[in-house]
């Protein structure tokens, strides 16, 4: 028996642990404990989803942002970014290409760009849902009023990604300027849930100021929110941000957290993120083997991708959508999985086959 195993077993049974035990578990992370955790988290993911990996076509449709988050490369004060907005027709073209390849979920992600008013977003959403009625549409466009979220939902959006970034107020203030607050971020997430979106939260692993204690608070918050999706990836520095000199997060801890989250919410949709693929050549595959079940390749036009750099050396800036599907399929095959042509909605938990 290795130290930490009992904590993992207890987390698996109870879905959550008291904060002190979560901290102890996070501090116990080592390769041996990883192997034990992943043997369980991978089995759970296969029980829930088979060896099928859901795909989401990511469309980064604007890199204008009114916020000034200290970690993010497209923050307002970064004068070195060439800003762009895609037209509705360009967005639809991304969807058309993606649909041909097998994508059945499109994710519209952007900075908080005031140009895209509720009215403009409603129009884009209606057009996408009109042309692709069998696809799910996910938004990832930041903090809004409940009323705005409702309008976008009524226009046809199905899901919303909004990472909480950290569930600790003081840590939140280390990552964001004073006009942004954890309280409002949480308000957004609860509003989105109440409206009926499938909701995703998440955080960066190894962000400046993060500790085992703040990570334990992240896990407690995620347990409380019970989101359908959870996105995590390592913090990666960006040279034109206040965090340029900060060390990058660790892949090992990111994978460990993916495993823990899979135990906590067996049917959660958990992507193996681009940040993970950036930090290690096999990061994407290792994320799947730790319990992730989603990949989100980029469908944005190749000529704007370099402008959507949240962090340095972001992976996949060159490939066309078709290449990236084929390459991902190859990566998945190499570990015994395959890409699914499926909306990949959140589903109730699969019971009965567990061999605990
Ligand atoms: N490193 C890693 N992830 C980042 N994000 C933003 N900047 C960085 C960075 N420097 C993540 C944030 C955000 C998501 C869209 O990208 O968590 O919510």
């Amino acid at each position: 028996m290795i130290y930490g195993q009992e904590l993992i077993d207890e987390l698996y049974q109870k879905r959550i642990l008291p904060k002190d035990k979560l901290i102890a578990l996070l501090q116990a992370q080592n390769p041996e404990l990883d192997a034990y955790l992943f043997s369980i988290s991978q089995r759970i993911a296969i029980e829930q989803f088979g060896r099928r990996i859901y795909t989401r076509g990511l469309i980064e449709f604007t890199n204008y942002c009114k916020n000034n988050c200290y970690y993010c490369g497209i923050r307002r004060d970064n004068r070195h970014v060439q800003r762009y907005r895609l037209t509705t027709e360009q967005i639809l073209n991304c969807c058309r290409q993606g649909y041909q390849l097998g994508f059945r979920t499109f994710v519209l992600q952007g900075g908080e760009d005031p140009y895209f008013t509720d009215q403009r977003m409603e129009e884009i959403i209606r057009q996408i849902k009109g042309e692709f009625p069998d696809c799910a549409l996910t938004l990832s466009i930041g903090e809004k009023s409940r009323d705005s979220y409702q309008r976008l939902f009524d226009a046809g959006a199905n899901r919303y990604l909004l990472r909480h970034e950290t569930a600790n107020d003081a840590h939140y203030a280390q990552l964001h300027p004073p006009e942004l607050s954890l309280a409002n971020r949480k308000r957004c997430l609860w509003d989105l849930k109440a409206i009926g979106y499938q909701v995703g939260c998440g955080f960066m692993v190894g962000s400046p100021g993060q500790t085992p204690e703040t990570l334990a608070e992240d896990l407690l918050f995620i347990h409380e929110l019970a989101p359908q999706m959870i996105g995590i990836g390592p913090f990666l520095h960006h040279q034109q941000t206040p965090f340029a000199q900060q060390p990058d997060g660790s892949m090992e801890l990111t994978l460990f957290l993916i495993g823990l989250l899979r135990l906590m919410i067996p049917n959660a949709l958990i992507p193996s993120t681009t940040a993970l693929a950036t930090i290690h050549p096999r990061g994407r595959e290792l994320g799947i083997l730790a319990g992730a079940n989603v990949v989100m390749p980029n469908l944005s036009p190749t000529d704007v991708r370099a402008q959507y750099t949240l962090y340095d050396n972001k992976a996949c800036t060159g490939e066309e959508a078709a290449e990236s599907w084929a390459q991902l399929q190859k990566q998945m095959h190499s570990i015994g999985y395959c890409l699914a042509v499926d909306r990949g909605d959140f589903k109730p938990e699969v019971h009965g086959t567990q061999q605990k």
Side-chain angles (χ1 to χ4, degrees), residues 8 33 41 68 164 171 187 197 234 244 272 292 316:
I8 288 176
L33 194 59
S41 56
N68 222 3
H164 65 284
H171 186 214
R187 190 272 307 157
Y197 284 96
S272 189
C316 312

Side-chain angles (χ1 to χ4, degrees), residues 71-73 109 163 165 203-204 234-238 275 310-311:
Y71 47 84
C72 184
Q109 185 168 85
R163 289 188 178 179
E165 311 298 357
F203 54 90
M204 296 175 287
F235 162 76
L236 299 169
H237 72 278
H238 184 292
L310 307 185
Y311 42 81

